[in-house]
Amino acid sequence: MATTTPEDPRVRFAIERTLLAWVRTGLALMGFGFVVARFGLFLREIEAVRQTVPVKTTGLSLWIGTALILLGVIVNVLVSAENIRLMRHIHAEPPYGARSWLLGVGVALALAAVGVAMAIYLVFISH
């Protein structure tokens, strides 16, 4: 069985695959959170089309959805920090350049910023 060393490019590739998997997870949480948050609006629209008395809503879907969005933001921020820590820990430049591994971190942080903006929109603006 072959052993891997930090200089082995497969170590860096594995770190990057892990980052991208967690970014997908964070993005999925944010997307699902948005759908859950807007579900109450969807139910109100259905009731309006049926022309029935609107069902009293607790607004719980908004808060659960916002919590899922913020969980996705937290996942992306934490995985970015962990990725940077691991890449510094292996003490080697990636064979494909430092900018390319920073791209994944940049995308994760940009998605986190979009998630924060989405949560602010849902809670404070879209009532």
Side-chain angles (χ1 to χ4, degrees), residues 11-49:
V11 173
R12 290 182 289 274
F13 295 144
I15 292 170
E16 184 140 349
R17 279 192 310 272
T18 302
L19 168 74
L20 295 176
W22 278 109
V23 167
R24 283 191 306 268
T25 301
L27 184 59
L29 283 167
M30 289 187 283
F32 184 62
F34 185 80
V35 169
V36 169
R38 301 311 278 166
F39 189 68
L41 175 66
F42 174 71
L43 291 178
R44 285 193 302 266
E45 292 296 321
I46 296 274
E47 294 299 323
V49 168

Side-chain angles (χ1 to χ4, degrees), residues 6 33-34 49-50 79 92 103 107:
F34 185 80
V49 168
R50 290 184 181 172
V79 76
L103 178 64
V107 168

